[in-house]
Amino acid sequence: MSITALNLSHITYTYPGAPEPIFEDVTVTFAPGWTAVLGDNGIGKSTLMHIAQGKLTPERGQVSPSDAVIAFCPQDVAAVPDNLDDFSADWSPETIAIRDTLGIADDWPYRYDTLSGGERKRLQIACALAAHPDVLILDEPTNHVDAPTRNAIAQAMLDFTGQRHALATTAMPTANGQHHEESNGKETATLPAPRRGRVGIVVSHDIELIDQVAMRCACFERRHVGHSNITVVTMRPGNYTAALADATALQAGERHALDQASKEAARLQRESASRRHDAALAATSWRANRTIDRKDHDARNAAKLAKMTSVDGSAGSAQARLDARVEAARQAADSITVAAKRYDGDLAAFAGIEPSHATELVRLDAGVIPFGESAVQVLAQSSDRVTGCKR
Ligand SMILES: Nc1ncnc2c1ncn2[C@@H]1O[C@H](COP(=O)(O)OP(=O)(O)OP(=O)(O)O)[C@@H](O)[C@H]1O
C-alpha cells in the first residue's frame, strides 16, 4: 500500500499524574519522503511517535489513516526485532537488496546477542525495512555508529522512499571481512522527490544524517505566548541546515515584532498615566480656583484651561479611548508567540531584564498602601516621595 501522508490531528496528551499536558491540540502531517523530528531532550518527540504508532492513546485527536502499516525501530539496540525469524528466512530480491545496502552478513540473524552495537542497529533497521511498512519511524538510528555505518543507514533510508541518489562510495567492511560499497556521504546530487508513497520519520540529533536524507524537519519548540509556554510542532522545508536558517530568520522577526508591540503598549500606558496625573492636578487646581484672588487673572485662566482640558466630558472620553488603545496594544503584544527562552545561566538575559532609561518608574496617588505588617505612605503632591511606616 502507499499512503499520501500520516496525519496527527489536534493531539492532546497528558502522562498519568503529570500536572499538565505534554501536548495540547498539536497537528502535524508527515508527507512521503523523510522528515527529521528535531527538538530539545524531553520535549516530547518520542511521546508523539508512540502516539503515531498507537502505543499511546491521546485524550483528544486522531491519527490517520488508521490502517497504515507502521514499523518502528527503537533507539535501544538490545531490543530484538519482532520479525527477526521471518527476516532470516526472507531471500526475496527486495530483502537481498536491503541486506546488501546495510552490509548484513548471513549469520547475523542467528547470533543477535553477540553482534556489536552498530551491527545490531543495521540488523534492526533491515528487519524494519523488510516488513515493507507504509511508515517507518527510526529513533536515533545513528547513535554510536561509525561513519561508514551511518552512510549505509542513510542510503537504506533513501532506498525506502525511492530517493536513492548518486553518492560517491567507499568500501565498508562487514563482519565477514567482505567489502561492501557504501556512500561516503558526499552528496553529488540534490535529493530527488520520493518515488513511493512511503513516509519516513527519523528522530535524530545527527545533523549530518539529517542533511543527507531529510526533505523537511518537524521542529518541536516551546513557544511563549501571553504568559505561558506551550509545545508546538512547526514543519520547516529542507534539511537541518535549511530548517535552522528558516527558524533563525523567523525568530529574529518575531522578537522584533514583540519588542515593537511591547514598546508601543508601554508608551501608551505611560501616556495614559501621565494624562490621569494631569487630570488629577487640574481637578485640584479647579477646586483651588475658588480661593484664587479675583485679580489674579493668570491663575484663574490657568485653572479654567485645566478644567476645560481635563475634567469635562470630552477629556473623560478621550481618556477612555486611550485606555482602550492601551488594552488593544497589550493584547496585540500578548498574541505574538516567540520561541520560549532557555535558561543558560545568564539570569538577566533569561528574564529579559535590562537597565531602564526611564526617569520615572512609577507614579502613585497619595495615600497609604497596606503591605503586610507595614504600610507604604505616598505623600500628596510629591510622587517622588514614598515612605515606609509601621501600621
Ligand atoms: N511514562 C511516562 N510517564 C510520565 N512522564 C513521562 C513518561 N514518559 C516520558 N515522560 C516525560 O515526558 C517528557 C517527554 O519525554 P519524551 O521521551 O517524549 O521526550 P523526547 O523529546 O523524546 O526526549 P529525548 O530527546 O531526550 O529522547 C519528558 O519530560 C519525560 O520525562
Side-chain angles (χ1 to χ4, degrees):
M1 181 172 127
S2 105
I3 60 172
T4 52
L6 181 73
N7 304 296
L8 282 76
S9 313
H10 304 290
I11 302 290
T12 296
Y13 183 77
T14 311
Y15 275 112
E20 57 183 26
I22 185 162
F23 299 118
E24 240 179 314
D25 200 25
V26 163
T27 294
V28 56
T29 297
F30 294 99
W34 281 95
T35 302
V37 173
L38 311 177
D40 290 346
N41 289 139
I43 200 165
K45 304 180 295 293
S46 299
T47 304
L48 200 66
M49 293 305 105
H50 287 139
I51 291 169
Q53 296 164 62
K55 286 183 183 163
L56 291 176
T57 306
E59 286 140 70
R60 284 192 292 281
Q62 303 102 46
V63 179
S64 66
S66 55
D67 58 349
V69 177
I70 301 179
F72 175 68
C73 191
Q75 190 172 342
D76 183 6
V77 290
V80 181
D82 290 342
N83 63 337
L84 187 62
D85 287 345
D86 292 343
F87 177 83
S88 66
D90 185 348
W91 292 98
S92 64
E94 294 87 354
T95 305
I96 290 173
I98 292 167
R99 288 170 186 260
D100 287 349
T101 302
L102 286 164
I104 308 289
D106 297 353
D107 65 329
W108 285 7
Y110 306 105
R111 57 180 191 88
Y112 194 85
D113 291 348
T114 60
L115 296 178
S116 72
E119 290 166 348
R120 287 186 192 187
K121 180 51 69 187
R122 280 146 68 186
L123 187 49
Q124 279 182 329
I125 294 172
C127 288
L129 288 166
H132 304 299
D134 303 310
V135 180
L136 174 59
I137 303 175
L138 303 180
D139 193 356
E140 300 287 1
T142 52
N143 271 5
H144 315 302
V145 302
D146 58 20
T149 301
R150 184 218 279 117
N151 292 325
I153 290 171
Q155 199 60 269
M157 290 168 71
L158 292 172
D159 284 349
F160 170 69
T161 50
Q163 293 178 282
R164 181 185 271 263
H165 56 141
L167 298 175
T169 58
T170 56
M172 186 174 86
T174 68
N176 294 352
Q178 302 157 351
H179 276 73
H180 181 74
E181 287 292 295
E182 267 313 326
S183 147
N184 65 5
K186 300 277 184 292
E187 301 201 23
T188 56
T190 52
L191 205 57
R195 280 183 283 108
R196 299 171 178 154
R198 287 184 179 168
V199 172
I201 304 173
V202 57
V203 181
S204 178
H205 292 91
D206 182 341
I207 293 172
E208 203 165 326
L209 177 78
I210 297 167
D211 272 349
Q212 277 178 265
V213 303
M215 298 186 65
R216 63 193 84 83
C217 295
C219 304
F220 283 55
E221 296 161 340
R222 293 290 284 167
R223 310 274 302 164
H224 190 79
V225 53
H227 303 286
S228 60
N229 288 343
I230 56 166
T231 296
V232 299
V233 182
T234 307
M235 198 61 84
R236 302 188 194 285
N239 60 16
Y240 181 88
T241 305
L244 183 65
D246 184 57
T248 307
L250 199 74
Q251 278 174 18
E254 289 165 350
R255 282 269 162 219
H256 179 72
L258 180 62
D259 280 353
Q260 294 299 311
S262 302
K263 278 183 185 152
E264 176 63 1
R267 185 188 70 74
L268 289 170
Q269 175 67 47
R270 279 196 306 276
E271 193 178 325
S272 171
S274 166
R275 283 201 198 171
R276 270 187 211 291
H277 178 74
D278 291 349
L281 281 183
T284 309
S285 169
W286 170 247
R287 280 192 292 276
N289 180 37
R290 291 176 192 145
T291 60
I292 293 174
D293 185 338
R294 288 177 155 231
K295 291 180 185 148
D296 185 350
H297 295 295
D298 285 350
R300 292 188 74 84
N301 284 340
K304 273 185 193 162
L305 185 66
K307 176 178 183 281
M308 280 163 56
T309 56
S310 307
V311 295
D312 67 1
S314 68
S317 61
Q319 183 71 50
R321 282 198 301 276
L322 184 57
D323 287 347
R325 284 176 65 200
V326 171
E327 186 51 31
R330 271 200 204 123
Q331 283 180 11
D334 281 355
S335 69
I336 295 174
T337 73
V338 292
K341 287 181 182 169
R342 299 185 207 174
Y343 183 58
D344 59 6
D346 181 351
L347 189 58
F350 178 71
I353 301 167
E354 55 183 45
S356 170
H357 300 294
T359 51
E360 179 180 281
L361 291 179
V362 64
R363 187 176 287 205
L364 302 170
D365 291 334
V368 173
I369 304 169
F371 199 72
E373 290 193 352
S374 304
V376 173
Q377 183 176 17
V378 182
L379 303 178
Q381 304 294 326
S382 53
S383 55
D384 55 344
R385 287 172 60 200
V386 178
T387 58
C389 60
K390 273 273 187 200
R391 280 214 274 183

